[in-house]
Every structure is written in C-alpha cells, then in structure tokens.
Amino acid sequence: MGPESQAPAFPGLDIERSALDRELLEQLHGQRQLFDGSPDGIVICDHNGVILLVNRRLEDLLGHAHGSLTGQALEVLVPEDRRTSHRSHRTNYSSTPKVRPMAPALELFARHADGSEIPVEIALAPLHYEGRPVTMATVRDARERLQHARLLRDAEQRLLLADERERIARDLHDIVIQRLFATGLGIQSVAMRAPETLRSRLDDEIGRAHV
C-alpha cells in the first residue's frame, strides 16, 4: 500500500473511540489542505471538546508537531489556570452553539507548547460535518495588533504631554508678561512722583532694560 493510500495516524486518539469517530477524522484530514491555506489557525473539535483537526498555521503558532494534537482535549491549548472555566464555557457553548465573531476587546490567550501564553483572537462557528455537530475555532495571533495598539497609545500620550507642556509654557509666558507690564506701570508711577534728576535716571534704566 503506497503512502498516499495509508490511513492517517492519530497519535492522541483514544483507541476505544468508535470507528465512526475514526472515519470522521480520516474524512476531515483528507480535506486538510483546504484548511492549511488559511492565514489564521484553525481547530475543529467535537461536542466533547476532542480535537479532530488543526491546520498547519495553528501548529506553527503554538509550537506543536504536525498531527500531534489530533485526539487531544481542546484544553491542551488553553493556559492551565483557565482550563476549568474553559470547560464550563465550552459545555455551555455546545448546548447553544452559535456563530461568535472575533472580539478584539476580549483578552484571550492560547498556550504554546513551551508553556508560554500568546494573546489571540478567536471566532467560533458551529458546523455539521457528515451529519455530526462539530465546532470550528479560528485563532488569530493578536501580538502584532496589540503591539500596534501600544505604539498608538504611546504616541497619543506623548502628544498629550507635548500639548500640556506647550500650554504650561504659554501660561508662564502670559504670567511673566503680565508681571513685567505691572512692574513697568509701577515704575512709571514712581518716576512721575520722583524728582527730575531721579526721574531721568529711571528713564535711562528702563530704556536700557528694553534694549
């Protein structure tokens, strides 16, 4: 039997799972090239949260060997401290499945094979494949978007700071001008009441100050 006709291996698949599950897996993997063309990661799981298929992009994004995720629980892709709550959310979603578009405002993270966490955006879509309900999750790497958002916030903060500094400089300039003007008026008032010789000296000093 040539390599093209060999059944795909599913290293994470429980050997007790039914032949129907294996048949579904083989059908999905036979169309994997369609999913591998996606620029986003894709994972398809059954109603029990068992991974049926992931595309190459998701494997590369999360650092898993090709084909190693099939048959694993979906929670292997979830940070450990969020797995219990994720199981609850997944169960609730399975009971009332609906399309959920990506929501950049949500803070979602996927677990890399090395244990690190990667910020992601996730869209969910309930599907029926060969008459069986499955869920497809589209996973997008959010690091670049978040980096751009941080740079934008930093630029806005710098702009606000520059505006505030300019406002303070204008206020100080106005205060200095007002005080100088008031001082000049005071000197002139004194000069008008001073003797002629002192008035002449004050006029000379004021003239030199304006130079």
Side-chain angles (χ1 to χ4, degrees), residues 1-41:
M1 180 182 294
E4 298 86 344
S5 57
Q6 293 179 355
F10 306 121
L13 182 63
D14 186 340
I15 58 175
E16 298 299 325
R17 291 181 66 82
S18 69
L20 182 60
D21 289 337
R22 176 168 290 276
E23 181 181 357
L24 176 61
L25 284 167
E26 291 177 354
Q27 291 172 347
L28 283 170
H29 280 256
Q31 300 184 26
R32 176 176 173 137
Q33 62 180 347
L34 298 177
F35 300 105
D36 280 340
S38 171
D40 294 322

Side-chain angles (χ1 to χ4, degrees), residues 91-160:
T91 300
N92 292 337
Y93 180 85
S94 296
S95 63
T96 55
K98 60 182 178 180
V99 173
R100 194 193 77 183
M102 289 187 178
L106 295 178
E107 291 188 358
L108 303 176
F109 295 87
R111 186 180 187 275
H112 192 276
D114 64 8
S116 62
E117 297 182 10
I118 296 176
V120 293
E121 298 170 15
I122 299 176
L124 300 177
L127 304 174
H128 278 79
Y129 193 85
E130 297 295 324
R132 300 186 59 198
V134 298
T135 299
M136 182 175 74
T138 303
V139 182
R140 179 171 299 166
D141 187 349
R143 287 174 293 186
E144 185 175 353
R145 180 186 63 78
L146 292 175
Q147 176 65 13
H148 289 165
R150 281 192 294 268
L151 292 175
L152 180 59
R153 285 196 301 270
D154 290 345
E156 290 174 344
Q157 288 296 323
R158 288 194 297 271
L159 183 60
L160 289 173

Side-chain angles (χ1 to χ4, degrees), residues 22-199:
R22 176 168 290 276
E23 181 181 357
L24 176 61
L25 284 167
E26 291 177 354
Q27 291 172 347
L28 283 170
H29 280 256
Q31 300 184 26
R32 176 176 173 137
Q33 62 180 347
L34 298 177
F35 300 105
D36 280 340
S38 171
D40 294 322
I42 292 176
V43 54
I44 297 177
C45 64
D46 67 11
H47 67 285
N48 291 315
V50 175
I51 296 173
L52 303 176
L53 179 142
V54 298
N55 68 348
R56 180 76 71 176
R57 172 58 181 149
L58 188 76
E59 291 171 336
D60 292 343
L61 175 63
L62 300 182
H64 290 274
H66 178 54
S68 63
L69 288 170
T70 304
Q72 301 284 349
L74 184 62
E75 279 69 35
V76 74
L77 305 179
V78 178
E80 292 184 5
D81 62 342
R82 300 175 179 85
R83 288 179 179 176
T84 300
S85 61
H86 183 270
R87 289 189 187 96
S88 176
H89 293 323
R90 175 171 53 75
T91 300
N92 292 337
Y93 180 85
S94 296
S95 63
T96 55
K98 60 182 178 180
V99 173
R100 194 193 77 183
M102 289 187 178
L106 295 178
E107 291 188 358
L108 303 176
F109 295 87
R111 186 180 187 275
H112 192 276
D114 64 8
S116 62
E117 297 182 10
I118 296 176
V120 293
E121 298 170 15
I122 299 176
L124 300 177
L127 304 174
H128 278 79
Y129 193 85
E130 297 295 324
R132 300 186 59 198
V134 298
T135 299
M136 182 175 74
T138 303
V139 182
R140 179 171 299 166
D141 187 349
R143 287 174 293 186
E144 185 175 353
R145 180 186 63 78
L146 292 175
Q147 176 65 13
H148 289 165
R150 281 192 294 268
L151 292 175
L152 180 59
R153 285 196 301 270
D154 290 345
E156 290 174 344
Q157 288 296 323
R158 288 194 297 271
L159 183 60
L160 289 173
L161 182 58
D163 288 344
E164 182 65 11
R165 287 175 175 172
E166 183 179 352
R167 184 191 64 78
I168 292 173
R170 287 196 306 267
D171 291 346
L172 288 174
H173 177 268
D174 292 343
I175 291 172
V176 170
I177 293 298
Q178 290 171 6
R179 289 182 177 177
L180 286 175
F181 183 73
T183 301
L185 290 177
I187 292 174
Q188 289 178 353
S189 177
V190 170
M192 291 176 63
R193 295 193 299 269
E196 182 65 31
T197 55
L198 180 57
R199 189 185 312 165

